[in-house]
Amino acid sequence: VLFRSRIVDYFSLQYTASKKIHVSANAYESYLKGLYHSKNSGKDANGLAIEYFSEALQADSKFPDCLVALAYDQGFRFVQGWDTSDKLLGEAEANCKKALDLDPNNSNATAVLGFIELSRGNQQAAIDRFQQSLDKNPSNGVALDNLAQIYLLSLNNPTKGLTYYKKLVEIN
């Protein structure tokens, strides 16, 4: 993902700006610490992000955006080759599905499911998930960025790829 730090910022801003926060202070503090470490692309920072998100979920297991952030960092860990176990992607998928059970309109959870499908090599399933995410929220940064990359780099459709990148730039 090219705009990793902006996407993490997007997760944070979308959560705090669009939803009333109904989580414990301890859970939210751990979530914020996780977002801080998630902005850094290194293996150690990724491990800390996963640790903090897990800690937040121990304090409040019904925190949808924390579940999604954890799933995203688990997927990122897989893509980077730091842990290539199918179990990790299975956990990430389960976290997204739990987030969708709690909040069916969570476009980030749907987009991260697309990221997971892409990580598994299921390009069409990924495209479908990213489109579902955009149906829920036309400004979803994860979906826009990944669709742009798929159309530009894999499907050799620069017109469609650039359309998604233009939308992404507009929201950033």
Side-chain angles (χ1 to χ4, degrees), residues 28-159:
Y28 194 66
E29 181 180 356
S30 294
Y31 171 72
L32 291 176
K33 287 178 181 178
L35 288 177
Y36 171 80
H37 290 288
S38 189
K39 286 184 179 188
N40 302 311
S41 297
K43 181 179 180 180
D44 292 340
N46 175 264
L48 284 170
I50 289 171
E51 203 173 297
Y52 280 118
F53 293 139
S54 297
E55 185 179 293
L57 290 167
Q58 286 176 359
D60 188 343
S61 63
K62 295 182 178 182
F63 189 174
D65 285 7
C66 188
L67 287 160
V68 174
L70 174 59
Y72 182 81
D73 272 289
Q74 289 168 321
F76 186 75
R77 188 169 196 79
F78 181 89
V79 168
Q80 293 301 312
W82 301 327
D83 181 345
T84 57
S85 69
D86 289 333
K87 180 183 175 195
L88 183 66
L89 283 185
E91 290 172 4
E93 182 177 27
N95 286 328
C96 285
K97 288 181 177 181
K98 184 174 181 184
L100 286 168
D101 287 343
L102 295 167
D103 179 6
N105 294 318
N106 191 314
S107 67
N108 286 331
T110 307
V112 173
L113 283 171
F115 179 67
I116 292 165
E117 290 294 346
L118 196 57
S119 300
R120 289 179 170 147
N122 302 330
Q123 184 171 275
Q124 187 56 54
I127 290 170
D128 294 344
R129 288 290 190 172
F130 294 136
Q131 288 295 340
Q132 291 168 5
S133 176
L134 292 177
D135 290 344
K136 293 177 183 185
N137 176 3
S139 298
N140 187 287
V142 174
L144 290 169
D145 180 45
N146 281 283
L147 283 168
Q149 289 185 58
I150 290 169
Y151 283 104
L152 283 170
L153 304 175
S154 297
L155 298 179
N156 197 26
N157 186 339
T159 303

